[in-house]
Amino acid sequence: MIAFGPVPSRRLGKSLGVNNIPDKVCSYACVYCQIGRTLRMEVERRAFYEPELIFEDVSRKVEKAEAAGERIDYITFVPDGEPTLDVNLSREVEMLKTLGIALAILTNSSLIWREDVREELFEFDFVSLKLDAVSEPLWRRVDRPHRSLSLEKILDGMLTFADGFEGKLVTETMLINVDYDGELEKIADFLAELKPDRAYIGIPTRPPAEPWVEPAGEETIHVAYQLFSERLGEERVEYLIGYEGNAFASTGNVEEDLLSITAVHPMRDEAVRELLRKAGAGWDVVEGLIRDGKLIELEYGGRRFYMRALPSRRKP
C-alpha cells in the first residue's frame, strides 16, 4: 500500500499518507522506532517505486476522499523508511502538485547535507526535520546512523536548508530514557539558530525497536519544553505525547479541558486557576487529577507548572 488515509494529524490536519519507501529501508536504526528494526541500512539514493504508480495510487485515494466529502489538507510523505532515499522524489512531487493539495514530508534529516536533497525539500509546503541530538555520542546511541554519515554535515545542512526554505518548517525531538546531561541546552541553542516555525517534543507511543527503550520522564520533557521555549517562545513549542484531538476546543468539562491543554504544553499555576475560575470550578479538580495520576506538578525557574502525566506512568 503506497497511499493511506486520510488520517487526522495535529500537525497537518487531515493528511493523506504516501509510503514511498518499502519496509524498512532507512539511513538510521533508531532505538525507539515504532515501525521496528531497520532491515536495510542505506544512504545511497535509488528508485523504489515508479513515480507514475505513486501518482496513480494517490490520485485514486484523493478521488475517493472527495467523493466521500472528506477534506485533505496535506499529501504527506511519511513512509516506513527515510523518504529522501527515493531518487524519484522530485518527479513524484512534480506530479502530485497537479492535484492542487499542499505537500508535506517527515524526514530524519540524514541526507539534508546533500544539495540535491535540499533542492527537492524546497518544493514542499511543510517539512519536518528530526533533531534528537546535536552531540555525536548521543546521536549514535539513539539514532544509530549509517556509519558513513556525519552529524556535523547534517546540522550544517539543516541550517542551510532553513535559511532558504519558504514553507513551514518544524522539528521533532524524541525523548527517551537516556542521560541527556546538558544535551537539552545544546539542542535548544541549535533550535535558536535554526528558527523553526514550531519545535515538537515527542516520546514513543507504541512499542519501540529495542525493548529497553521507554519514554523520558515528565521532568525531562518539562525541562526540554522550558529550554526550547526560552529560545523560541512558548507559542512555538509543543508536546507530542500521544494526545489525540483538538487540544484547544472547550468541551464544557473542565477536567477534560485541563488534561487536553496540558498534553500539548504545561500550564502555569495562574493559568490553571484562571481556567478553573472561568469554569466555576475549584482547586479540588486539580487535586483529584493529581491523586488519580492523570496530572503532575512540576517546577521550573521558581514557578509551578502542571502537565498531563504520560500514559505509561499513570496509576492503574
Side-chain angles (χ1 to χ4, degrees), residues 47-62:
F48 294 93
Y49 300 108
E50 289 295 328
E52 291 76 16
L53 177 63
I54 289 178
F55 178 73
E56 290 168 8
D57 201 35
V58 172
S59 296
R60 279 194 296 269
K61 283 283 189 179
V62 169

Side-chain angles (χ1 to χ4, degrees), residues 20-157:
N20 67 321
I21 302 290
D23 183 13
K24 178 170 182 284
V25 182
C26 197
S27 50
Y28 282 178
C30 299
V31 296
Y32 59 75
C33 185
Q34 295 159 84
I35 298 171
R37 290 180 174 175
T38 297
L39 301 177
R40 296 184 62 173
M41 288 280 285
E42 297 186 15
V43 291
E44 293 301 323
R45 306 186 77 198
R46 63 181 176 92
F48 294 93
Y49 300 108
E50 289 295 328
E52 291 76 16
L53 177 63
I54 289 178
F55 178 73
E56 290 168 8
D57 201 35
V58 172
S59 296
R60 279 194 296 269
K61 283 283 189 179
V62 169
E63 288 175 7
K64 287 182 180 179
E66 289 177 346
E70 288 192 69
R71 184 185 81 248
I72 298 176
D73 297 304
Y74 282 95
I75 294 171
T76 307
F77 283 75
V78 53
D80 290 336
E82 169 49 36
T84 61
L85 283 169
D86 185 357
V87 76
N88 289 323
L89 186 61
S90 179
R91 175 64 179 149
E92 292 154 11
V93 167
E94 180 183 3
M95 297 174 75
L96 290 173
K97 279 190 172 184
T98 65
L99 299 176
I101 301 172
L103 299 179
I105 186 168
L106 279 59
T107 170
N108 67 16
S109 315
S110 62
L111 301 183
I112 202 167
W113 56 272
R114 296 177 54 135
E115 186 176 0
D116 59 338
V117 169
R118 291 197 301 271
E119 288 298 323
E120 291 172 20
L121 291 176
F122 282 143
E123 297 302 313
F124 285 84
D125 302 286
F126 180 109
V127 174
S128 174
L129 302 177
K130 179 201 290 285
L131 181 66
D132 290 337
V134 296
S135 299
E136 188 95 8
L138 189 61
W139 175 62
R140 294 203 174 276
R141 182 180 182 195
V142 173
D143 291 345
R144 297 193 298 193
H146 189 279
R147 62 184 179 275
S148 68
L149 291 171
S150 160
L151 179 58
E152 183 179 0
K153 287 172 67 174
I154 290 170
L155 296 175
D156 286 345

Side-chain angles (χ1 to χ4, degrees), residues 216-232:
E218 285 97 341
E219 183 68 35
T220 298
I221 296 168
H222 181 62
V223 169
Y225 178 91
Q226 297 299 340
L227 290 169
F228 294 5
S229 295
E230 287 171 3
R231 308 306 199 278
L232 298 175

Side-chain angles (χ1 to χ4, degrees), residues 294-305:
K294 296 179 179 179
L295 195 71
I296 62 170
E297 185 178 87
L298 297 161
E299 288 194 7
Y300 184 86
R303 307 188 75 131
R304 187 172 299 164
F305 294 84

Side-chain angles (χ1 to χ4, degrees), residues 240-290:
L240 286 176
I241 57 176
Y243 170 68
E244 299 85 17
N246 181 357
F248 302 102
S250 176
T251 64
N253 181 319
V254 69
E255 288 191 9
E256 289 182 13
D257 289 346
L258 187 57
L259 291 174
S260 66
I261 294 171
T262 55
V264 178
H265 55 74
M267 291 183 72
R268 292 179 181 173
D269 179 273
E270 58 267 30
V272 173
R273 293 183 185 278
E274 178 63 13
L275 179 67
L276 293 172
R277 186 191 66 78
K278 289 180 178 178
W283 194 253
D284 59 303
V285 170
V286 173
E287 293 173 342
L289 290 173
I290 292 173

